Amino acid sequence: MPKIRIEGGHPLSGIIPISGAKNSVVALIPAAILCDETVTISNVPEITDVDDLENILIHLNAQIKRTKERVEINASNIINKEITETLSKKLRASYYFMGAMLGKFNKVDMYFPGGCSIGARPINLHLKGFELLGAKITEEGSHFIIEAEKLKGNKIYLDFPSVGATINIMLAAVKAKGKTVIENAAAEPEIVNVATFLNNMGAKIKGAGTNTITISGVRYLHSCFHEVIPDRIEAGTYLIMGALIGENLKIDNIIPNHLEALIAKLKETGVEMEIGLDNIVIKETNKYKATDIKTLVYPGFPTDLQQIMATFLTQCHGKSIIEETIYENRFQSLLELQKMGANVKIRKDNRKATINGKTKLHGTDVNSTDLRGGASLLVAGLIASGTTTIDNISYILRGYDNIVEKLQKVGAKIEII
Ligand code: EPZ
């Protein structure tokens, strides 16, 4: 199995261009099947989640043309057949084919999705939404057949503002009869990017980005050209690297607004940044003081940056407390950081962790436990003394476009072995 090897202590200088957002493109690609003409999506990141979605489209007989950063999809001849367990379990976002196939054919046959094991991650809110649109669900183990005579708009209150459920209900509702209102909807920027894509194809969606989304069903969706927004989590990851070991490091092609919570927290610790229209520059590192983090839904502090921020907090003077409110099992990577010398304590209920800093990290062999956990170890390896070797890197490559190449270009001593 390939591994990533890093020699720590080499400053990062230059420009890091941010790619398209994983958590948007993985919804845009399934959503494209709702259209019976060719759609073009640009700024597509080179990540394995996109490869896995492409394989599902090919399995369904869609025409797909992929070039650097761009994908063209024509689903006018796709076949409504079972999406196999293997294909379904490759990634979490395969669940977006539930809403899209239901919206297109009033029927979908697939399995419970895959994804990082950072919690139970049920899909009850997705299923509840489909039922309220008039669908009947047959569930056998992890196998789901969801079908409806005709989907009909309805009012759907989400018990939790789930990103996946909000998008999946939107996909099922765009061609349903009448009006759907999603209340307590999630408001992440990726949801706005997906709603804009659907509206560009002729859908009638209002309120994306707020907690109330209204969808008036339409009969037909036409072709369009759409761009994926920059990846705020990828940008946040490099920004934290810059705060730790940057010298004139520019994080480029970003929407700073999408990083407000992170920027505020980094400033609290003493990080100095120059924030431009679509970039942030870190001129030099500093001495940082501890702070507390509580993960929340957008625009709160993103859970997807929690583990990477934990690495940063090991380099801050004093005691920091992290409270993880979204997932019940997202501290596993801290145990790997401990192997590198981090001083961390995880509370029994696995919802809070304490980090005492500043501690000197040293390179060793560590395992990626999940996508962001892997990234948090990569950040640690950049600042640790000696050499760090990271295993299970397929987790990292699922969500970071050419991360090794991008870091080599700004001076990191890093390679895949
Ligand atoms: C999306 O996952 C992202 N994944 C996650 O990013 C991200 O952590 C998460 O949103 C929250 O921001 C993708 O977009 C592919 P949720 P999703 O539904 O849709 C519970 C990364 O690192 N819940 O908002 O699965 C759930 O268990 C990944 O890029 C239910 O109980 O997140 C979790 O505790 C990791 N029932 C919470 O809600 C449901 O039906 C948030 O889940 C749905 C969710």
Side-chain angles (χ1 to χ4, degrees):
M1 291 294 276
K3 298 176 187 231
I4 288 178
R5 183 168 56 200
I6 310 160
E7 194 187 293
H10 298 277
L12 307 179
S13 304
I15 301 177
I16 298 201
I18 296 303
S19 303
K22 169 183 88 76
N23 290 343
S24 180
V25 76
V26 296
L28 295 172
I29 292 174
I33 71 164
L34 287 160
C35 176
D36 290 317
E37 300 173 10
T38 300
V39 297
T40 306
I41 303 171
S42 67
N43 199 27
V44 173
E46 244 177 80
I47 55 175
T48 58
D49 271 8
V50 170
D51 305 338
D52 294 333
L53 290 168
E54 188 181 339
N55 291 335
I56 296 179
L57 283 176
I58 292 166
H59 168 78
L60 296 172
N61 195 40
Q63 278 138 39
I64 183 165
K65 208 163 73 191
R66 187 135 164 237
T67 50
K68 191 153 174 43
E69 291 190 8
R70 183 172 286 201
V71 63
E72 271 181 34
I73 299 166
N74 185 306
S76 51
N77 298 320
I78 70 168
I79 306 162
N80 189 3
K81 64 179 181 179
E82 178 194 273
I83 300 176
T84 63
E85 186 157 14
T86 314
L87 288 170
S88 301
K89 288 210 170 330
K90 276 275 175 172
L91 72 165
R92 175 85 179 161
S94 66
Y95 59 22
Y96 287 131
F97 279 99
M98 283 184 175
M101 295 290 268
L102 206 50
K104 189 176 183 79
F105 293 115
N106 290 327
K107 180 175 180 185
V108 60
D109 180 344
M110 65 177 290
Y111 290 77
F112 193 86
C116 293
S117 55
I118 49 182
R121 309 187 78 181
I123 58 169
N124 55 311
L125 301 175
H126 303 233
L127 302 177
K128 184 179 159 200
F130 297 148
E131 276 175 334
L132 285 166
L133 292 173
K136 195 168 82 31
I137 295 163
T138 312
E139 186 179 343
E140 263 169 50
S142 67
H143 186 201
F144 292 84
I145 298 179
I146 309 172
E147 53 192 325
E149 286 288 309
K150 176 85 190 103
L151 293 174
K152 204 162 162 300
N154 200 346
K155 207 178 238 184
I156 299 170
Y157 173 81
L158 290 179
D159 298 330
F160 180 88
S162 149
V163 171
T166 300
I167 292 178
N168 237 339
I169 293 166
M170 253 187 347
L171 299 183
V174 278
K175 293 177 108 176
K177 192 166 176 345
K179 194 160 83 172
T180 297
V181 180
I182 308 176
E183 289 172 331
N184 197 29
E188 273 70 4
E190 295 75 27
I191 290 166
V192 179
N193 199 218
V194 175
T196 309
F197 174 54
L198 294 164
N199 283 345
N200 286 347
M201 296 197 280
K204 291 201 173 92
I205 303 173
K206 290 201 179 90
T210 75
N211 296 126
T212 305
I213 299 177
T214 306
I215 304 141
S216 305
V218 297
R219 296 172 64 78
Y220 190 80
L221 294 174
H222 54 72
S223 76
C224 82
F225 182 98
H226 187 70
E227 185 167 340
V228 185
I229 55 171
D231 194 317
R232 61 195 169 97
I233 306 299
E234 185 197 16
T237 304
Y238 287 114
L239 191 55
I240 289 170
M241 290 177 189
L244 287 169
I245 196 161
E247 281 175 12
N248 277 316
L249 186 71
K250 184 179 194 178
I251 317 295
D252 203 20
N253 179 33
I254 63 169
I255 301 174
N257 269 350
H258 290 174
L259 291 159
E260 242 168 46
L262 174 66
I263 291 169
K265 278 293 161 184
L266 289 178
K267 281 187 176 162
E268 255 177 43
T269 67
V271 176
E272 283 161 23
M273 298 163 262
E274 283 173 17
I275 300 173
L277 273 181
D278 65 354
N279 65 73
I280 296 178
V281 176
I282 296 214
K283 284 219 173 320
E284 60 193 354
T285 60
N286 221 331
K287 188 173 176 213
Y288 304 127
K289 61 182 190 324
T291 188
D292 296 341
I293 300 287
K294 182 176 183 177
T295 65
L296 293 165
V297 298
Y298 190 84
F301 191 93
T303 172
D304 295 346
L305 286 172
Q306 178 261 97
Q307 295 146 294
I308 298 147
M309 193 64 182
T311 300
F312 176 76
L313 294 173
T314 66
Q315 302 308 300
C316 296
H317 295 266
K319 184 169 99 171
S320 302
I321 294 175
I322 298 182
E323 186 176 352
E324 175 54 63
T325 72
I326 308 291
Y327 291 105
E328 65 276 20
N329 190 23
R330 204 166 204 179
F331 285 136
Q332 303 153 66
S333 49
L334 285 182
L335 303 174
E336 297 297 310
L337 266 185
Q338 245 170 2
K339 293 181 188 166
M340 300 177 74
N343 177 345
V344 300
K345 280 192 201 57
I346 303 171
R347 204 174 66 180
K348 283 212 177 53
D349 66 357
N350 225 7
R351 286 291 189 171
K352 265 195 184 173
T354 307
I355 297 183
N356 286 297
K358 168 177 182 163
T359 49
K360 208 165 172 5
L361 300 182
H362 52 80
T364 185
D365 296 347
V366 287
N367 290 309
S368 304
T369 49
D370 57 272
L371 165 59
R372 309 303 172 181
S376 73
L377 299 172
L378 195 154
V379 175
L382 291 170
I383 58 171
S385 58
T387 303
T388 300
T389 304
I390 305 177
D391 211 339
N392 297 336
I393 62 167
S394 57
Y395 281 123
I396 300 174
L397 303 179
R398 278 197 36 230
Y400 288 93
D401 181 342
N402 289 306
I403 188 165
V404 170
E405 294 76 4
K406 286 186 183 183
L407 285 169
Q408 286 170 340
K409 284 202 180 107
V410 293
K413 294 274 178 286
I414 183 170
E415 58 182 340
I416 293 186
I417 54 167

